[in-house]
């Protein structure tokens, strides 16, 4: 499935089809992270065959440990249009919610309008665009950054960008 997506220039982080060893090593890393409770893998089947997948990875424990990133969300080219992408993203969101994640982020190539529409349909919103940040040979594409806020635990106080609090400082005038 990974090979089929990459062969059709799928924007999933590999520019060339990874060897079986590289793909297995990546998958082993995902399983180790899932075993620690800091990530997970979701697969979707069609006619008893895995046709789509996605991964969530939590930030390191500490100040950003409640934030997770979705990565490698993909569907086999022959299975597109079956709604598997939405099922995978919905299951990833559910897994993150169960794990206590409060914010999910992801990056998507700016020219991948189908994926952006899928994420928007699942409730994600764009929070920024890093222009020309993705290089594919001599082509440059924007990295569209998206997020989905999840329910906060009881007692959490949201400070946002208000000055003050731990690590805060007052704005200074430019000189």
């Amino acid at each position: 499935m990974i090979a089929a997506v990459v062969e059709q220039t799928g924007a999933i982080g590999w520019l060339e089809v990874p060897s079986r060893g590289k793909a297995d090593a990546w998958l082993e890393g995902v399983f180790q992270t899932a075993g620690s409770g800091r990530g997970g893998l979701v697969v979707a089947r069609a006619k008893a065959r895995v046709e789509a997948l996605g991964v969530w990875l939590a930030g390191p424990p500490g100040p950003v440990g409640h934030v997770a990133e979705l990565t490698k969300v993909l569907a086999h080219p022959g299975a597109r249009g079956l709604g598997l992408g939405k099922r995978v993203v919905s299951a990833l969101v559910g897994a993150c919610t169960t794990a206590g994640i409060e914010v999910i982020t992801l990056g998507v190539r700016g020219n991948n309008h189908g994926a952006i529409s899928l994420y928007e349909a699942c409730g994600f919103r764009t929070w920024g665009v890093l222009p020309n940040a993705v290089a594919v040979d001599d082509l440059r594409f924007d990295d569209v950054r998206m997020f989905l806020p999840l329910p906060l635990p009881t007692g959490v106080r949201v400070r946002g960008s208000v000055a003050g609090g731990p690590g805060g400082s007052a704005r200074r005038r430019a000189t």
Side-chain angles (χ1 to χ4, degrees), residues 86 89 106 108 112-127 144-148:
K86 191 165 189 174
V89 173
L106 60 84
V108 60
N112 196 345
H113 294 227
I116 292 168
S117 293
L118 165 68
Y119 296 130
E120 288 173 341
C122 292
F124 285 81
R125 300 186 310 249
T126 298
W127 64 264
V144 177
R145 302 298 302 174
M146 302 181 83
F147 78 104
L148 177 69

Side-chain angles (χ1 to χ4, degrees), residues 31 47 83 85 170:
F31 288 148
K47 298 182 182 176

